[in-house]
Amino acid sequence: MDCVEQTNNEGWRILIVEDDERLADLTREYLESNGLTVTLESHGGQAVERIKNEQPDLVVLDLMLPGEDGLSICRRVRPFFPGPIIMLTARTDDLDQVLGLEMGADDYVGKPVKPRVLLARIRALLRRVSENAASAKEPESADEPVRLQFNDLIVDRAMREAWLNDASIDLTSAEFDLLWLLASSAGRVLSREEIFTALRGIEYDGQDRSIDVRVSRIRPKIGDDPVHPRRIKTVRSKGYLFVKEA
């Protein structure tokens, strides 16, 4: 295990769903030594009820579990669990990572798990949640728009909701964050590095596909053509452009 990184106790509650008891225990020990409160669940079949009843601040969810796999659990808990979910996957399997994001996971960490990397991802996600909650309560500056409208598309940061033709759009928390970032930067190309750093709070490694997956999921939800997009355009070798007048 990596050496302990000293930090203040944030009081965050983490549920780790992992059937490898040794890995789960070592990960819990490391996270608790860095100020987090950690509980464990080893059986996939019991994870949904644990998440529903305990409502932890964040869930670390293994992909392969006895009883029920992580993808199914992630899909089932999303209607009642708004917190971040980190999926543990095989780093070499892009399909696992893509499927996890499509089921509603916010991030993924490859196995074998490096505790320091996992801790950094947890902190980044929970800081983002805390900042979003704080910004929703604070009065907005006149220079910071709360609601953006692009013809039939409306994106509201205070309510963390979006509408297309007056119909609410079903977005995950991570999808809304990305949509707001792109929409609030309409007319300017954002690189994957900028997007990744803004949303995840960590440096882009050049391999992560989560931004591309989320863009592909957002496009049809906002009425964009996935094959020939007009609202969120891919700028080759540069990044993404949200078009003001699509």
Side-chain angles (χ1 to χ4, degrees), residues 41-242:
E41 175 55 59
S42 61
H43 197 278
Q46 300 171 7
V48 172
E49 285 302 311
R50 287 283 303 274
I51 295 170
K52 182 177 181 179
N53 294 332
E54 296 177 18
Q55 291 292 316
D57 295 304
L58 180 144
V59 174
V60 178
L61 181 60
D62 189 23
L63 180 66
M64 302 300 295
L65 293 162
E68 186 171 359
D69 66 81
L71 294 176
S72 174
I73 294 168
C74 188
R75 175 181 56 80
R76 289 180 59 199
V77 303
R78 265 315 177 203
F80 58 79
F81 178 68
I85 296 176
I86 297 179
M87 189 78 74
L88 302 182
T89 71
R91 181 173 295 277
T92 58
D93 194 339
D94 284 347
L95 180 59
D96 286 349
Q97 298 166 359
V98 171
L99 286 174
L101 295 170
E102 289 182 344
M103 291 299 104
D106 296 274
D107 199 355
Y108 53 81
V109 172
K111 285 188 167 183
V113 176
K114 296 181 179 179
R116 187 180 294 274
V117 172
L118 179 60
L119 177 62
R121 298 291 181 90
I122 289 172
R123 283 178 171 164
L125 283 170
L126 290 175
R127 275 198 304 266
R128 190 180 75 198
V129 171
S130 299
E131 289 166 1
N132 287 338
S135 65
K137 296 178 181 178
E138 294 174 358
E140 298 291 336
S141 165
D143 297 329
E144 298 178 356
V146 176
R147 175 173 288 203
L148 301 173
Q149 182 164 2
F150 306 91
N151 298 324
D152 54 354
L153 174 66
I154 298 173
V155 188
D156 191 301
R157 181 162 67 101
M159 298 181 67
R160 292 187 60 77
E161 291 188 33
W163 299 267
L164 180 66
N165 293 319
D166 297 325
S168 180
I169 302 173
D170 183 18
L171 296 167
T172 67
S173 178
E175 288 169 356
F176 179 86
D177 289 338
L178 176 55
L179 176 59
W180 177 264
L181 178 64
L182 293 169
S184 61
S185 303
R188 182 169 74 89
V189 177
L190 294 181
S191 69
R192 287 176 176 80
E193 290 80 2
E194 287 179 274
I195 296 171
F196 197 86
T197 301
L199 296 183
R200 305 269 287 275
I202 54 178
E203 186 177 350
Y204 181 59
D205 62 8
Q207 304 296 320
D208 193 291
R209 297 182 57 194
S210 61
I211 302 302
D212 303 310
V213 171
R214 289 197 179 105
V215 168
S216 69
R217 285 178 55 80
I218 291 171
R219 278 172 171 153
K221 294 183 179 184
I222 62 173
D224 215 355
D225 183 343
V227 179
H228 302 290
R230 297 174 60 246
R231 183 157 267 155
I232 301 179
K233 291 192 173 184
T234 302
V235 181
R236 188 177 296 276
S237 301
K238 292 186 178 180
Y240 290 104
L241 170 67
F242 191 97

Side-chain angles (χ1 to χ4, degrees), residues 7-14 28 30-38 118-119 122-123 126:
T7 184
N8 293 329
N9 188 334
E10 295 97 346
W12 288 325
R13 297 174 298 111
I14 314 299
R28 175 172 61 179
Y30 182 84
L31 296 180
E32 288 185 337
S33 68
N34 280 277
L36 305 179
T37 300
V38 182
L118 179 60
L119 177 62
I122 289 172
R123 283 178 171 164
L126 290 175

